[in-house]
Amino acid sequence: MLEQLVNGPSIGYLARGLAASSLRQEVISNNMANVNTPNFKRSEVRFEDMLAKELALDDGSGRMQVVRTHDRHLPIRPIGTARPIVEEDGQTTMRVDKNNVDIDIEMASLAKNQLYYNAMATELGSYISRLKGVITSTQG
């Protein structure tokens, strides 16, 4: 029972979200470090859209929608396959030296990613605190 709670889908989604955010931080930092490198092409991390498809939040997923008809029914656990992917943007050019890094866009992406990471870390900490409360509570 404890193993099911600790290895449940919530922790899996949050852990993968944190990993994606950490990878995105590295990619953005690399983009910013190469802002003046000729012929450098920026990269970005794709994750959230693939996670939405995995969770069947995307209308075009083709997956059967399962509805819980009673609170005591267990939800069907989806298979965790969405992983972050680093993609290079080779289609655009911002300057004459064929570099496509815009420092303003990268700074905004960095701030957005920091908020995303903090939200995921807070939610994971809250989940673990609730789990700890359930484990340590006594029945009276």
Side-chain angles (χ1 to χ4, degrees), residues 29-137:
S29 297
N30 185 51
N31 290 343
M32 292 171 67
N34 288 290
V35 69
N36 291 321
T37 303
N39 297 316
F40 180 81
K41 298 298 181 187
R42 70 179 296 277
S43 297
E44 60 185 27
V45 175
R46 278 191 47 223
F47 174 69
E48 287 78 10
D49 56 337
M50 294 183 298
L51 182 63
K53 284 183 182 179
E54 177 183 318
L55 296 174
L57 299 175
D58 185 11
D59 294 335
S61 67
R63 293 180 59 172
M64 181 178 77
Q65 297 294 322
V66 178
V67 178
R68 288 175 52 184
T69 58
H70 193 276
D71 290 339
R72 292 188 179 188
H73 290 172
L74 296 175
I76 296 175
R77 292 177 52 174
I79 300 169
T81 58
R83 299 281 184 246
I85 297 174
V86 178
E87 292 181 341
E88 184 177 283
D89 178 10
Q91 302 298 319
T92 60
T93 300
M94 297 291 291
R95 301 189 313 237
V96 177
D97 66 358
K98 298 182 181 170
N99 185 312
N100 66 351
V101 177
D102 183 346
I103 194 68
D104 293 330
I105 291 173
E106 299 302 323
M107 292 297 289
S109 296
L110 188 65
K112 180 181 174 184
N113 188 55
Q114 185 64 44
L115 290 171
Y116 179 80
Y117 183 88
N118 287 343
M120 297 295 266
T122 300
E123 184 60 32
L124 183 60
S126 175
Y127 180 82
I128 291 172
S129 293
R130 289 190 308 267
L131 190 60
K132 180 182 174 187
V134 168
I135 291 170
T136 60
S137 69

Side-chain angles (χ1 to χ4, degrees), residues 7-33:
N7 295 328
S10 295
I11 287 186
Y13 297 137
L14 293 169
R16 286 189 287 151
L18 285 170
S21 182
S22 180
L23 178 61
R24 186 174 288 120
Q25 174 77 23
E26 291 177 26
V27 169
I28 293 170
S29 297
N30 185 51
N31 290 343
M32 292 171 67

